Amino acid sequence: MKFNALTTIGATTVLAAAISSVFASTDTASRFERNNPLRVSVMALGGGKVEVTVTNTSRKTARIPNWQLPSAAVESNLFAVSRNGEALRFEGRMVKRGAPTSADYTILRAGRSHRAVVDLGEMYDLSQAGDYTVTFAAPLQWASMSDGKQLRHANGRPMVAQGAPVRLWVDGASAKLAAGMAKDRAKPGAGGSVVGGVTYKGCSSTQISGAGSAVTAARSYSENAKGYLTSGATGPRYTTWFGAYTSSRYSTARQNFANIDTAMDQSGGQITINCGCNQSAFAYVYPTRPYEIFVCRAFWNAKNTGTDSRAGTLIHEMSHFNVVAGTDDHAYGQTAAKNLALTDPARALDNADNHEYFAENTPSQN
């Protein structure tokens, strides 16, 4: 697809804005992330692509999880994209991850840069002509420097590697091409066999049995969570995972779990467990493709119930679908999820792990 720069005097203005994004992002960092050594620049390219450069400006080596850096195959929601002022949803893979291993890190030495070209059309619906604004913003959970210092604020929240916004104009011809991509991206995979009301793809008989037990436990989790919120309870279980009570946030949590429970209770083959993933993660979904859940190696290594369980993973992934709760992955793990609830309850309500841990309720709280 072809992108045209939105400007009254031609492409030079946008090019200058893209080049100057290094300085703009540095200014942003100086005001909001003074101790963040990572600087970001973003340049608009043709064909719906942007070039993102992350530079380590310190004298120390940085260790950054691969999924927090731009790559040709982005598997995290690292961008904020809007069209005519309206935010677009991420449509790429939403992945539940555990703590990274040594193999999951990129080593960025002092003064070095990581550069990648990203095709935004693979992750966002660019099917309408208009004025698009693109911002790279990657939370740096687990990122650290060679002196052992974590890239996080005093309140425990991770720093964010963020660039200045880049503006793009998508014309009618480009939008028509993008519409076909968006349609293909929304198609669920075909095939599979239905066992116990759940469709299984590429699964062995042992996997079908194990995943079936996880579905049953996840249904119990979602029913219990929905019941807690329907009762109006506001005890430690709620505040630990969703923060201080307000009526509007509580209403959101209640509706989210009503939707999750309805989705989990489907028994006519609508829920699909796809066993074709061989990644180290727990699972992933495409949020526009309900209700297919790709389960990966960590899923099979987990217990059926409890913290980061198979059943909890299914709750996590089900919450990602746009027709269910449309959650994101702002933070992973119980410690980060608790901190998110304490420091940013609104974002905790948009975080899939917070929904999972509320449902798992381990250790049990009232």
Side-chain angles (χ1 to χ4, degrees):
M1 66 196 71
K2 180 180 179 182
F3 280 69
N4 296 321
L6 177 67
T7 174
T8 58
I9 59 173
T12 303
T13 299
V14 170
L15 180 59
I19 294 173
S20 66
S21 61
V22 174
F23 304 103
S25 61
T26 299
D27 180 63
T28 299
S30 68
R31 287 184 286 122
F32 301 112
E33 305 254 1
R34 292 182 182 277
N35 298 319
N36 189 346
L38 301 182
R39 297 292 181 264
V40 178
S41 66
V42 182
M43 180 177 291
L45 304 177
K49 298 176 181 179
V50 294
E51 182 182 76
V52 183
T53 303
V54 180
T55 301
N56 177 8
T57 64
S58 77
R59 297 181 179 180
K60 301 179 179 66
T61 297
R63 298 175 69 246
I64 310 163
N66 299 330
W67 58 81
Q68 294 170 357
L69 291 169
S71 68
V74 175
E75 294 188 354
S76 298
N77 187 5
L78 303 180
F79 294 86
V81 180
S82 63
R83 180 182 60 249
N84 301 329
E86 180 180 353
L88 303 186
R89 289 183 178 273
F90 178 72
E91 297 184 359
R93 288 186 181 184
M94 305 289 289
V95 184
K96 173 175 167 59
R97 309 179 189 277
T101 66
S102 58
D104 295 320
Y105 282 96
T106 291
I107 305 302
L108 197 59
R109 302 194 182 281
R112 298 294 181 88
S113 296
H114 173 95
R115 181 178 292 103
V117 174
V118 180
D119 187 348
L120 296 172
E122 294 182 356
M123 297 166 287
Y124 297 91
D125 181 1
L126 308 182
S127 61
Q128 295 184 38
D131 177 15
Y132 286 75
T133 301
V134 179
T135 305
F136 179 87
L140 297 171
Q141 185 179 3
W142 292 306
S144 64
M145 306 304 292
S146 53
D147 60 1
K149 184 178 180 181
Q150 298 286 316
L151 295 184
R152 60 190 180 195
H153 298 290
N155 65 1
R157 292 281 301 279
M159 293 181 178
V160 177
Q162 182 168 333
V166 173
R167 296 181 65 194
L168 304 168
W169 172 260
V170 181
D171 62 24
S174 300
K176 185 175 181 179
L177 291 173
M181 296 175 61
K183 185 176 181 181
D184 289 340
R185 190 166 53 240
K187 290 180 180 178
S193 58
V194 179
V195 178
V198 177
T199 299
Y200 295 92
K201 295 181 182 179
C203 303
S204 67
S205 58
T206 299
Q207 289 174 324
I208 290 174
S209 176
S213 296
V215 170
T216 298
R219 287 170 174 162
S220 295
Y221 273 157
S222 64
E223 182 68 29
N224 178 272
K226 182 185 74 171
Y228 178 99
L229 294 164
T230 300
S231 74
T234 57
R237 179 180 180 182
Y238 176 83
T239 56
T240 295
W241 302 117
F242 295 128
Y245 171 86
T246 67
S247 60
S248 62
R249 288 200 294 262
Y250 196 89
S251 177
T252 298
R254 182 169 54 229
Q255 186 61 57
N256 284 356
F257 271 100
N259 294 347
I260 292 170
D261 186 59
T262 297
M264 287 303 315
D265 281 347
Q266 295 175 108
S267 58
Q270 297 93 336
I271 297 172
T272 296
I273 303 297
N274 191 316
C275 299
C277 173
N278 193 37
Q279 298 178 8
S280 61
F282 283 87
Y284 68 86
V285 299
Y286 294 94
T288 57
R289 288 169 50 177
Y291 300 92
E292 186 170 12
I293 300 173
F294 296 77
V295 293
C296 308
R297 294 205 304 268
F299 177 88
W300 301 115
N301 293 331
K303 295 181 179 179
N304 199 52
T305 57
T307 300
D308 290 315
S309 62
R310 294 181 184 180
T313 295
L314 297 182
I315 297 292
H316 174 117
E317 298 302 334
M318 190 62 77
S319 77
H320 278 319
F321 293 118
N322 292 342
V323 297
V324 178
T327 61
D328 206 330
D329 289 314
H330 300 292
Y332 293 108
Q334 281 199 337
T335 298
K338 287 178 180 178
N339 185 265
L340 194 63
L342 183 65
T343 60
D344 194 342
R347 188 158 291 188
L349 277 168
D350 188 46
N351 193 54
D353 256 4
N354 287 70
H355 287 74
E356 174 179 343
Y357 297 138
F358 179 86
E360 289 171 339
N361 193 27
T362 305
S364 180
Q365 298 183 95
N366 294 322

